[in-house]
Amino acid sequence: MVNDDPAAAAAAPTDAILRMRGIVKQFPGARALDGVDLEVRAGEVHCLLGQNGAGKSTLIKVLAGAHQPDEGEILLDGTPVTIAHPVAGLRLGVATMYQELDVVDGLSVAENVYLGHEVASGGFTQRRTAAQRTRELLRRLGHGDLSPHREVGTLSAAGKQVVSMARALSHDARVIVMDEPSAVLDSEEVANLFRVVRELTAQGVAVVYISHRLDEIREIGDRITVLKDGRTVAQGLPAATTPTADLIRLMTGRTVEYAIPRRPPVPHDAPVVLRVEDLTVRGAFADVSFDVRAGEVVGLAGLVGAGRSEVLETVFGARRPHAGRVSVDGRPVHAGSVGAAVRAGIGLCPEERKSQGLLLDEPVYRNITLSSFGRTARGPFLDEPAERRVADEQIGALDLRPADPDRAARTLSGGNQQKVLLARWLVHGCRVLLLDEPTRGVDVGARAEIYALIARLAAAGTAVVVVSSEIEEVLGLADRVLVLSEGRVVHTGPASEIDEHRVLDLVMEGSAA
């Protein structure tokens, strides 16, 4: 169902609520969109697929009014419109939930939900009314226990995503764009999300759904548009029946092996590189212990909020434990010190790579060399040519796109930003690599590359710890798995001896205990 005849497509009858025709967007040195077409019908979930860098984010920013197209037109209900800024987009009934959580930590949930369109009467903000309406929205999303008065900065990434969803619903939008909405949600929260999406489409709302998880596309999607290199390469594909191989070929131009590569078993006598003993952070997790041998991948499984990310942050020194200790190669690591952890050979790719891992306005080469200045410095001074040489090696090895060491990290796609973080620790030569949601928001091509890179690191003797909300991914990557429930380890064992259903059973049993 690839549309090879634009004229015929334009003449075909349609009940499209939204049409984007020939959208072009040029940035200095890059043509991000090169004549993109998108047609979305009222009451459908229209899935937008493409690799990182294909133009999806730029396209939805054009639709939201954050970018102005250089060419092309946008039509709502058949009428050409100009969306000069995001407020204009909201007034036209277009709401966007970005992958980067656009919430203000210092404000309450209700203040975030109605930010920019405050509930007011006679010039005064009606806080009580806003709180009540927020409660109704949260209840609709299956999160009625979340207080409208709670400060957003105290919420997890999943909680912040719920607030972003409530904000989109608060606008009574006719078109809602959801960019990777399930990336930080657990399976129960995804089910709630899908329930809300189905309620919206039953009321005639059009949903543009962006996800790299093809199983989600099958479950929630109606039709698919595929972008590649800033162009529309397919429109109107049926989400339920289009073969996965065809979608991958359209996105990448090649056949991609999606499966996680097999690795030989870790020898029983392999030395222990990382040892975590009785680690406790009150309110987050308690009495967590595990070892990771050279060449071994250990996975931490469990629901969002189980304490997985907090364990990694504590091992990395970003949190100070109330009890327990961490050692690398038998030597204790000073608790609560990131510098000590890095010197000991521990590296972390955090869950929130934009806010916690990258210097977004610094160039790619500086982000790559950030933890290894000793290799590129001349005395007390940084040697920029040396930094660029080191970065260039990693840019080529990881196929970073675009291959420009001077480009600001902010301008890269999610998959390429993740590669920059991985490159940082490859340059550093860390003994222990902690990966928190390493494929979140990453396309199928980059995902396969990250899987292969993890396998190569393990083969070279690196001790790897992986956290992922995709249980299948954890079990596929790991040699051993720890299942966490409400901050406690409820199971430890070989990944080959447990499946997704058993993990969920353990999590539920642990929650009920």
Side-chain angles (χ1 to χ4, degrees):
M1 297 196 56
V2 178
N3 189 347
D4 295 320
D5 187 352
T14 179
D15 56 350
I17 188 173
L18 167 68
R19 278 177 147 180
M20 303 180 78
R21 293 174 171 170
I23 302 296
V24 173
K25 183 61 184 176
Q26 183 85 27
F27 294 107
R31 195 174 180 88
L33 301 175
D34 191 13
V36 169
D37 298 320
L38 176 66
E39 178 187 288
V40 183
R41 298 170 182 166
E44 79 165 337
V45 178
H46 196 104
C47 300
L48 188 60
L49 295 185
Q51 291 195 96
N52 294 115
K56 304 185 302 297
S57 295
T58 303
L59 184 68
I60 65 173
K61 286 178 180 177
V62 168
L63 176 59
H67 290 327
Q68 297 305 303
D70 298 313
E71 298 178 29
E73 64 176 350
I74 301 172
L75 299 93
L76 290 173
D77 289 323
T79 302
V81 296
T82 298
I83 306 178
H85 46 74
V87 174
L90 291 170
R91 288 173 179 164
L92 288 167
V94 179
T96 302
M97 292 169 47
Y98 291 106
Q99 181 180 350
E100 301 87 3
L101 300 176
D102 54 345
V103 294
V104 181
D105 284 348
L107 298 182
S108 71
V109 171
E111 288 169 332
N112 269 276
V113 168
Y114 285 97
L115 186 63
H117 64 126
E118 286 77 8
V119 180
S121 177
F124 295 95
T125 300
Q126 304 295 305
R127 296 182 183 275
R128 183 175 298 177
T129 303
Q132 181 57 38
R133 292 182 184 178
T134 300
R135 282 193 189 93
E136 294 170 0
L137 291 170
L138 293 170
R139 195 175 298 119
R140 187 177 173 189
L141 290 167
H143 289 269
D145 57 341
L146 178 56
S147 170
H149 305 292
R150 184 169 173 180
E151 185 176 324
V152 166
T154 66
L155 298 177
S156 65
K160 292 178 181 179
Q161 180 71 288
V162 170
V163 175
S164 183
M165 290 166 58
R167 179 192 295 167
L169 293 179
S170 73
H171 289 282
D172 294 323
R174 300 176 63 222
V175 178
I176 297 182
V177 181
M178 298 183 173
D179 188 4
E180 297 284 351
S182 67
V184 296
L185 305 182
D186 62 34
S187 55
E188 184 177 345
E189 290 167 329
V190 171
N192 276 329
L193 169 67
F194 286 179
R195 176 184 54 78
V196 173
V197 169
R198 292 186 182 105
E199 286 180 2
L200 291 169
T201 54
Q203 298 165 14
V205 175
V207 173
V208 179
Y209 193 95
I210 300 173
S211 178
H212 293 302
R213 299 177 177 178
L214 297 182
D215 57 335
E216 287 185 4
I217 299 300
R218 305 278 188 220
E219 182 175 352
I220 196 64
D222 294 306
R223 296 189 302 144
I224 296 171
T225 289
V226 182
L227 302 187
K228 182 179 184 296
D229 298 330
R231 298 178 180 177
T232 302
V233 295
Q235 292 187 75
L237 301 177
T241 58
T242 304
T244 298
D246 291 353
L247 293 175
I248 293 175
R249 194 174 301 110
L250 285 165
M251 285 189 283
T252 67
R254 65 189 191 277
T255 300
V256 175
E257 179 55 54
Y258 187 73
I260 297 171
R262 293 182 176 276
R263 295 182 295 109
V266 177
H268 294 296
D269 59 351
V272 171
V273 176
L274 173 68
R275 174 159 286 162
V276 176
E277 299 175 90
D278 301 318
L279 205 61
T280 298
V281 172
R282 286 194 290 272
F285 61 88
D287 302 320
V288 172
S289 299
F290 61 94
D291 293 341
V292 189
R293 298 181 179 276
E296 185 177 28
V297 179
V298 169
L300 303 186
L303 302 182
V304 173
R308 304 166 307 169
S309 297
E310 291 82 354
V311 169
L312 295 196
E313 291 168 1
T314 307
V315 171
F316 188 61
R319 291 173 180 259
R320 180 176 291 277
H322 294 98
R325 63 176 184 172
V326 175
S327 58
V328 174
D329 291 326
R331 293 185 291 274
V333 179
H334 184 68
S337 169
V338 171
V342 171
R343 288 191 295 274
I346 302 175
L348 170 67
C349 291
E351 177 183 11
E352 294 294 328
R353 54 179 169 258
K354 289 180 181 293
S355 60
Q356 299 174 339
L358 294 168
L359 302 178
L360 291 174
D361 294 317
E362 289 293 319
V364 166
Y365 77 83
R366 179 61 47 78
N367 273 278
I368 290 175
T369 60
L370 187 62
S371 296
S372 306
F373 284 155
R375 290 186 53 184
T376 57
R378 290 186 176 181
F381 302 103
L382 292 176
D383 184 343
E384 288 191 10
E387 285 185 272
R388 285 188 172 87
R389 284 194 299 272
V390 169
D392 280 339
E393 292 177 7
Q394 297 302 325
I395 288 171
L398 297 180
D399 192 23
L400 191 70
R401 300 179 187 178
D404 179 3
D406 295 303
R407 179 178 288 266
R410 182 185 301 279
T411 66
L412 298 179
S413 66
N416 284 294
Q417 288 179 341
Q418 189 73 319
K419 288 182 181 180
V420 170
L421 281 176
L422 288 166
R424 176 186 302 168
W425 299 117
L426 289 173
V427 169
H428 185 68
C430 56
R431 296 278 291 137
V432 178
L433 183 58
L434 311 174
L435 301 174
D436 196 351
E437 303 287 1
T439 62
R440 175 182 164 192
V442 169
D443 65 69
V444 290
R447 181 180 290 233
E449 292 169 354
I450 290 171
Y451 289 161
L453 177 59
I454 292 171
R456 290 203 303 272
L457 287 167
T462 305
V464 181
V465 184
V466 175
V467 164
S468 175
S469 296
E470 297 183 45
I471 298 174
E472 184 179 359
E473 182 173 74
V474 173
L475 299 180
L477 287 169
D479 299 290
R480 286 186 300 117
V481 63
L482 279 70
V483 180
L484 276 74
S485 178
E486 297 188 348
R488 293 188 177 274
V489 177
V490 295
H491 172 84
T492 303
S496 59
E497 296 179 5
I498 192 171
D499 59 20
E500 184 173 357
H501 297 294
R502 181 55 182 153
V503 170
L504 293 174
D505 287 343
L506 287 163
V507 168
M508 295 301 108
E509 291 168 7
S511 298

